[in-house]
Amino acid sequence: MELPRAWRRPDPLRGLAMTPWAELDRGAGVDHLLRGAAAGDPAACDGLERRLLDDDTVSEASVHAVPFLAELGASYRVPGAARDRVVFLLAGLALAGAGFTTGGRRTRRRWNALRRELPRVPPDWITQARYAVAKDAPGVFDALAGAEVACVLALAIAVPEVAPKHVADVAERIAFAGTHPQPLVDAAGVALHLLLAGDTDDAWAYAVAQGDPDLLHAYENGGFPANQPPAVTVQLMGYRYARLAAYPVTP
């Protein structure tokens, strides 16, 4: 019997030592954290999230880490809990709303009154991180094909433009099976809408917010940036639903 492709992938951290992590902005120690995550160390996963996606902010190190994170997310050599967290981190990097320039200045995504995105101070790590995730996400989708898990939905919500059809099939099964937890169903509904390129307006964003009291409160009380396109708002909401499905908040 042939092993699944995810079991036949090469060492997910091959070439790690060739990246000059200590010379990258916020890169010191990232190589050690990646090795820890590959071994399933929860503390290393915590460290990667703090270092690479600090306060919704990405940096030069975040961009360079994406190919390794994608390999970790696509490898069954990595313990499942750590693999899920890595995939969530990839989705978060693609959805990041802020970044650091080489001078340490923080820049954010902003939109004008017509909801067109305004240019950012270079280097634009926000866009580079998103492009890097979109480039490597297909390998993760391929490795986890058919898996009805929240992290796959989160990644599909973050980069729907590169998600293959089988991810839409998974989202459809979850959305209409009637057997899954509600946050997972809500995440699947958002993923399916984005994957099918449905129209996303403010009314649809408001409807999506109904599934979580905190999201609804944020939406109704200026918790999302002014003039932010509803499609971006829906992506952020869908990502939250996916995380709630994987890591429920205990009262």
Side-chain angles (χ1 to χ4, degrees):
M1 179 178 177
E2 188 179 27
L3 288 173
R5 276 172 289 186
W7 284 98
R8 292 185 277 116
R9 297 183 72 89
D11 176 10
L13 296 182
R14 64 194 184 283
L16 182 66
M18 298 176 63
T19 302
W21 296 102
E23 300 175 14
L24 302 180
D25 179 33
R26 299 183 64 81
V30 169
D31 50 343
H32 300 297
L33 293 172
L34 287 168
R35 290 189 185 97
D41 181 6
C45 294
D46 291 341
L48 284 173
E49 290 167 359
R50 289 193 299 269
R51 183 65 60 85
L52 302 179
L53 190 61
D54 177 37
D55 190 25
D56 191 38
T57 300
V58 292
S59 64
E60 184 181 22
S62 307
V63 176
H64 281 78
V66 166
F68 299 105
L69 294 172
E71 285 296 328
L72 292 176
S75 175
Y76 277 30
R77 299 184 187 189
V78 180
R83 193 175 65 243
D84 288 357
R85 289 188 63 177
V86 164
V87 177
F88 269 114
L89 178 54
L90 280 169
L93 293 174
L95 293 172
F100 286 119
T101 67
T102 51
R105 178 180 175 184
R106 184 173 293 192
T107 180
R108 293 188 178 276
R109 298 186 71 181
R110 290 187 175 88
W111 297 267
N112 63 19
L114 299 177
R115 292 182 162 180
R116 293 173 181 165
E117 190 163 3
L118 299 173
R120 289 182 288 275
V121 176
D124 182 2
W125 301 121
I126 303 170
T127 299
Q128 291 193 40
R130 177 175 176 78
Y131 284 171
V133 174
K135 177 178 178 290
D136 291 325
V140 180
F141 290 131
D142 183 53
L144 301 182
E148 296 184 359
V149 290
C151 63
V152 171
L153 294 178
L155 190 58
I157 288 166
V159 285
E161 68 274 16
V162 299
K165 182 182 181 301
H166 66 72
V167 178
D169 294 338
V170 168
E172 185 174 18
R173 288 201 302 270
I174 294 173
F176 297 106
T179 58
H180 296 284
Q182 192 58 46
L184 189 63
V185 173
D186 291 336
V190 171
L192 190 60
H193 175 83
L194 295 171
L195 291 170
L196 297 179
D199 291 334
T200 306
D201 56 14
D202 290 314
W204 207 86
Y206 186 60
V208 170
Q210 306 297 314
D212 180 73
D214 291 335
L215 277 181
L216 182 59
H217 182 269
Y219 190 81
E220 292 179 334
N221 293 274
F224 293 93
N227 301 324
Q228 180 169 272
V232 176
T233 300
V234 165
Q235 283 182 294
L236 295 172
M237 290 179 179
Y239 177 78
R240 174 174 172 79
Y241 286 130
R243 286 202 67 95
L244 285 174
Y247 312 109
V249 177
T250 55

